[in-house]
Amino acid sequence: MIAPGLLDRARIVAGPEVGDGVVRGLSAATGRPVERAPGEGPFVYVGAVLPDALRGPDLVWFHSVNAGTDTLVLRGDRPWPSGVPLTRTVGRMGERIAQYVLGWVLAECQSVPGYAAQHARAEWRRLPSELVAGQTAVVHGTGRIGSAVGALLRACAIRTVAAVRTPRPVPAGFDAVVPAGEPVAARWVVAALPLTRATAGYFGADRFAAMGGATFLNVGRGATVDLGALGDALRAGTVGRAVLDVLPDEPPGPGDPCWRLPRTVVTSHSAGITADEDVVADFTTCLRELAAGKRPALAVDPARGY
């Protein structure tokens, strides 16, 4: 933890990618000025990236404006500075992403994509609809975001199953828990995993082959999915549809293969956009917890990557 009194002396520095609204909010919430460049002495840094020049002994704590921290900790050439707390911003992202997932689930059950296509053709034809109640959704990733997805789907009477890599009790918001490798008959499979060394390429040919025609939604990290394997599964029918809010390489160019995946919708990494107030609120909470000598609830273990 941070030595007593050090946080009181440390300057707050915001990276160039941090908007002026966040800077004003941080200053108002903490009653301290927020600088744009570190000078002499200890400092706290708020940003999306940690420049190599700032990885020195004066760095007291880093707060990420993003929920994902893989770009910060998955650097083999520069490991995370020892003893420097790393915290992240989640805000209301779980709520936003849960609504995104539910929106696509409901749209699919009400044949919204089909009706939109019919409208474009000026075609009048009744399409089938189905109820979500009693159907099953499997969620991979049971952190704050995955748990929010599970809870909202469960509130709509969807049976929610948490797929976990290590044994644990049934997480809050879920009806059941299964080992990640165990096939489950499901209507939807939701990926809400962080990107770590253990989850890179996590969704590959074997996992897609076991989905039994389910719709696959990725709201976690793009690099957890082998897009080539997903394309093969979509063409084989073992994955019925796909909704991808995240991709391994963003933004994709016009010629990127993701645009040619069958029965797939790609959205612009917009399911859980972080608002200025989210950054300010989460930073302020972490500051209060660190000042009290506690490990913040939003702390990241750099060795695990989440």
Side-chain angles (χ1 to χ4, degrees):
M1 282 295 111
I2 300 173
L6 186 56
L7 276 176
D8 294 332
R9 295 191 291 111
R11 290 169 295 105
I12 301 176
V13 179
E17 69 278 12
V18 178
D20 290 340
V22 172
V23 170
R24 289 192 296 270
L26 291 174
S27 182
T30 62
R32 301 160 68 175
V34 177
E35 304 171 26
R36 282 295 189 176
E40 297 293 329
F43 65 93
V44 170
Y45 198 80
V46 180
V49 297
L50 177 58
D52 288 345
L54 302 184
R55 291 173 174 255
D58 287 338
L59 177 62
V60 173
W61 159 40
F62 184 97
H63 182 78
S64 173
V65 296
N66 299 318
T69 57
D70 46 276
T71 57
L72 291 164
V73 300
L74 292 183
R75 291 190 55 180
D77 59 325
R78 294 298 301 271
W80 187 253
S82 178
V84 175
L86 168 60
T87 56
R88 65 193 184 115
T89 300
V90 175
R92 300 181 70 178
M93 186 176 296
E95 182 181 349
R96 293 186 177 97
I97 291 178
Q99 291 185 12
Y100 172 95
V101 171
L102 179 60
W104 284 104
V105 164
L106 294 174
E108 186 172 87
C109 286
Q110 295 301 316
S111 295
V112 170
Y115 279 118
Q118 284 189 181
H119 179 88
R121 300 190 299 267
E123 178 182 353
W124 175 282
R125 182 166 58 89
R126 181 173 292 173
L127 297 177
S129 64
E130 55 185 315
L131 295 174
V132 298
Q135 303 209 53
T136 298
V138 176
V139 180
H140 292 256
T142 58
R144 289 172 178 258
I145 291 171
S147 294
V149 171
L152 186 58
L153 296 182
R154 191 169 184 242
C156 295
I158 296 172
R159 178 176 177 263
T160 55
V161 178
V164 299
R165 289 173 290 150
T166 55
R168 70 192 68 177
V170 178
F174 292 91
D175 294 299
V177 62
V178 298
E182 181 177 310
V184 177
R187 182 70 172 76
W188 302 280
V189 175
V190 182
L193 291 170
L195 177 60
T196 68
R197 290 180 177 85
T199 63
Y202 178 90
F203 291 97
D206 290 346
R207 292 196 195 280
F208 287 131
M211 288 189 185
T215 293
F216 176 71
L217 302 97
N218 189 8
V219 292
R221 279 290 181 262
T224 63
V225 174
D226 179 337
L227 285 185
L230 174 59
D232 291 343
L234 285 161
R235 285 183 281 272
T238 54
V239 174
R241 295 180 180 275
V243 178
L244 307 175
D245 188 53
V246 288
L247 297 169
D249 298 303
E250 298 176 356
D256 193 289
C258 72
W259 300 118
R260 298 190 295 277
L261 290 171
R263 303 183 307 285
T264 295
V265 175
V266 174
T267 58
S268 54
H269 204 143
S270 54
I273 293 174
T274 303
D276 288 356
E277 55 266 29
D278 294 333
V279 179
V280 174
D282 284 357
F283 174 87
T284 305
T285 298
C286 291
L287 176 62
R288 183 169 57 248
E289 292 170 330
L290 285 167
K294 300 177 181 178
R295 184 180 190 272
L298 292 171
V300 175
D301 179 351
R304 300 173 69 186
Y306 59 92

